[in-house]
Structure formats: C-alpha cells, structure tokens
Amino acid sequence: MSAYDARMSDPNPYRVENCSIERTLAVLGEKWTWLVLREAFNGVRRFADIQAGTRAPRQVLSARLARLVDEGLLRKVPYREPGRRQRDEYRLTQKGLDLYPIMVSLMHWGDRYMADPAGPPVVLTHRDCGSPIDVHLRCDDAHEVPSPREVTPRLGPGARLAGQSAREVSASVRPGAPA
Amino acid sequence: MSAYDARMSDPNPYRVENCSIERTLAVLGEKWTWLVLREAFNGVRRFADIQAGTRAPRQVLSARLARLVDEGLLRKVPYREPGRRQRDEYRLTQKGLDLYPIMVSLMHWGDRYMADPAGPPVVLTHRDCGSPIDVHLRCDDAHEVPSPREVTPRLGPGARLAGQSAREVSASVRPGAPA
C-alpha cells in the first residue's frame, strides 16, 4: 500500500505528524501541572502556598514547577521576607496566561458535569460588569459556532502527513496561505 | 488559628474543596485520554483505527476507552463487518461533545506556541462560511473578555471551603444566587 493509499484509507484525513494537541499535551498532559497553573491563575506564587493549594507531593511539585519554567510558562522572581533567605516566586508569563481559555473550559465542563447539586463552587465574572463569563467558539466572520458539528477541519500550512518530510511540506504550501 | 483566620491568610480566597477543574482532571488529566478524544472528534470510531491514530499501547487504549465509556463520554455501538464477529465502535455522547472547547483551546495554544515555522498543521473552519474559528471569552452582558486580568472569580452557590460541610454551604447560600 502506498503512502497515498494509506492516507485515503485512513478514517481520519487530518492525521498529521505534528499535531498541535499532541504537542500541547507533551507539556501539559498531566494533572499536577494543571493544578499548579490553577494556583498561578489565582495569584498563588510561592512554593509553600502552591503546595498547600494543590496538595502535590513536594518532589512532584518541584519537578512540575521546574518544567513549567523551562517551557517558559512560569518565570521565577526573587523575593525575601525579613530575616529569611532569598527565595523565588513563580509568575505566569504571557505564554502561560494564554492557557486561560483551556483553564476556563476545563472548569466550565466540570461545573456542568461534575459539580455538587448546589451548583458551581466558583463563578468567573467580568471585572467591569460583574456578569459571568463563558467560552464561545466564533469564526472570523463573527458567526457563533455552538457545536463541533458546524466545524470543518482543513489541512493547514504546516501540515506534515505521515511519511512526508518537512521539506516536502514547505514546497507544497501555497505562498501567502494564512498562518 | 481558626478556620476563618486560615482562610483570610490563604493567598487564594477562592480555594474550594470541590474544585471543578480538579474534578475534570480526575477524569481527563492524562495525555492518552485526550488523544483518544481527538480521534473521536475526527470521526475515528474503531479500536484499530484509534490505536493507529494515537499509537497508544493496546492495554492503555483499552483502559482509557473503558473509562471514557464508564464516565459517559463515549458510548459503544455494535457493528459487524461481513464475515467477522460483532465489535463495538465508540461514539461521543453529548457529555463528550461538550469537551470541544477544551480540545480547540488545547489545539490553538499548540498552534501558537508549538507549531512548526510553516504554521498550524490543521485549521478549524466554520462549515457554513469557511472562516477559521477561534475560542473567545465573553460575559453574559456580551462584553468580550480578552484577558484573565479582566476576570474576577467569586464563590459560587456550591462552594465548599476547607473544613466546611456541604450542609453549611447550602445554609449560607443566598436563595436565587446565580447558578
């Protein structure tokens, strides 16, 4: 079977070697990492406080924080309390802040399907008007897209298919294709 | 230190015992689970195809599929190919379909920070008009909320704080509080 035949018989014609979901999960596909980031989004910056908030084992927490710093999602900022040695606190970078829609989506799905009967434990509201916020899918033509059934995937400019080199991809991409 | 003092000295006043993010991660905090769901959203329904698409070890895949069925995210539907025994395929339930904003957010963050220089491998477009879709945060008053800095968390009707019973929570919730 040729690579072409293999692709045509694949039930998923959008299967790529360089899947963005898979790459995100390589950094973020682990429960403790998300709990550390939850703390960061709640303004919790210091090791002992993050540990108290996540209940992560100390060594797990150290490893996750180091990885998040290595990946540029958190940055270390030194601080010193009176009479104590200097330590680092952890703050979200822009790359980390950009995880916010994922965090909100995880939370809202949990609110819908996993919350106690009394309702969601925390409600995220718009600072300026106080109304609850929600996640919406919308297209660049300003249409609401409420369901995955209204979404069509297309191969993008960086698509690298099974058995295809990066060089072949760049040669086959139409110049000026939207990135 | 009383429970009240402990709460006031906690750097995160929204720390709850029944966090929706944590509950979601208890089901979905693992890389293979998301890759199985990615396949499902791409219409891949059969064990061998899901295995080919995720490259998950067979036993890992069996365990993840069983868990997703138990949790009501996938349902099994029998099928039979000519001359073969009956098997099950796996389809997303509504509960599973409602994970779509999380999936899109994971993908778009990866597109932004992890993609090859040529650009995103797959682009999600609106079926009706062809424009790319994106995830937006918006409040119920129709304001766009582009940054987590514009979001204020509040304790919700189901908030259960450390050391507080569910009974105390329901007694302290204002009737008619937004769910």
Side-chain angles (χ1 to χ4, degrees):
Chain A
M1 190 157 72
S2 73
Y4 178 84
D5 289 338
R7 178 134 59 90
M8 289 305 102
S9 71
D10 190 321
N12 176 12
Y14 309 103
R15 186 179 315 297
V16 292
E17 291 290 300
N18 53 348
C19 171
S20 289
I21 295 168
E22 200 158 340
R23 288 187 177 180
T24 300
L25 294 170
V27 182
L28 294 161
E30 202 277 325
K31 186 185 83 151
W32 293 115
T33 303
W34 285 107
L35 295 182
V36 169
L37 290 165
R38 176 193 67 185
E39 297 300 308
F41 276 109
N42 277 316
V44 180
R45 295 174 165 176
R46 299 186 176 181
F47 191 94
D49 295 330
I50 299 169
Q51 195 178 19
T54 58
R55 295 171 188 156
R58 188 175 182 85
Q59 289 188 325
V60 170
L61 181 55
S62 293
R64 293 304 177 279
L65 284 168
R67 179 82 195 277
L68 288 167
V69 170
D70 283 349
E71 297 284 348
L73 298 165
L74 296 177
R75 64 193 169 92
K76 292 201 276 192
V77 178
Y79 73 97
R80 185 199 296 269
E81 291 193 330
R84 312 202 56 170
R85 70 175 176 81
Q86 181 174 297
R87 295 168 188 271
D88 288 315
E89 57 179 32
Y90 298 88
R91 299 194 192 175
L92 287 162
T93 63
Q94 188 59 49
K95 186 174 176 182
L97 285 165
D98 283 344
L99 296 168
Y100 197 60
I102 309 175
M103 191 68 75
V104 176
S105 307
L106 288 168
M107 175 176 159
H108 282 183
W109 188 87
D111 286 343
R112 182 175 301 178
Y113 288 109
M114 315 286 278
D116 295 335
V122 176
V123 178
L124 301 175
T125 64
H126 186 200
R127 187 195 55 194
D128 296 347
C129 77
S131 294
I133 66 159
D134 207 348
V135 176
H136 299 266
L137 294 180
R138 196 173 64 210
C139 80
D140 287 357
D141 266 7
H143 303 122
E144 295 289 314
V145 184
S147 157
R149 299 187 204 284
E150 295 178 33
V151 175
T152 303
R154 299 189 190 289
L155 291 178
R160 201 162 73 234
L161 302 164
Q164 188 185 28
S165 70
R167 189 192 176 91
E168 286 175 294
V169 174
S170 70
S172 69
V173 170
R174 180 169 52 85
Chain B
M1 190 158 70
S2 74
Y4 178 83
D5 289 338
R7 178 134 58 89
M8 290 302 104
S9 72
D10 191 322
N12 176 11
Y14 309 104
R15 185 179 316 298
V16 292
E17 291 289 300
N18 52 348
C19 171
S20 288
I21 296 168
E22 201 158 340
R23 289 188 177 179
T24 299
L25 294 169
V27 182
L28 295 161
E30 204 276 326
K31 186 185 83 151
W32 293 117
T33 303
W34 285 106
L35 295 182
V36 169
L37 291 164
R38 176 193 67 185
E39 297 301 307
F41 276 109
N42 277 316
V44 180
R45 295 174 166 176
R46 299 187 177 181
F47 191 94
D49 296 329
I50 300 170
Q51 194 177 20
T54 58
R55 296 172 187 152
R58 189 177 181 84
Q59 288 188 327
V60 170
L61 181 55
S62 293
R64 293 301 177 282
L65 285 168
R67 179 81 196 275
L68 287 167
V69 170
D70 283 349
E71 297 284 347
L73 299 166
L74 296 176
R75 65 195 169 89
K76 292 200 276 192
V77 178
Y79 73 97
R80 186 197 297 267
E81 292 194 328
R84 322 253 334 225
R85 70 174 175 82
Q86 179 174 298
R87 294 168 189 271
D88 288 314
E89 56 179 32
Y90 297 87
R91 299 193 192 177
L92 287 162
T93 62
Q94 189 58 50
K95 186 176 177 181
L97 286 165
D98 284 343
L99 296 168
Y100 197 60
I102 310 176
M103 192 66 79
V104 176
S105 307
L106 287 169
M107 175 176 159
H108 282 183
W109 188 87
D111 287 343
R112 181 175 301 177
Y113 288 109
M114 316 286 280
D116 295 335
V122 175
V123 177
L124 302 176
T125 64
H126 186 198
R127 187 194 56 195
D128 296 347
C129 78
S131 295
I133 66 159
D134 206 348
V135 176
H136 297 266
L137 294 180
R138 197 173 63 212
C139 80
D140 287 358
D141 265 7
H143 303 122
E144 294 291 313
V145 183
S147 157
R149 300 186 203 284
E150 296 179 33
V151 175
T152 303
R154 299 189 190 287
L155 292 178
R160 201 162 74 233
L161 302 164
Q164 187 186 28
S165 70
R167 188 191 178 92
E168 285 175 293
V169 174
S170 69
S172 70
V173 169
R174 180 169 53 85

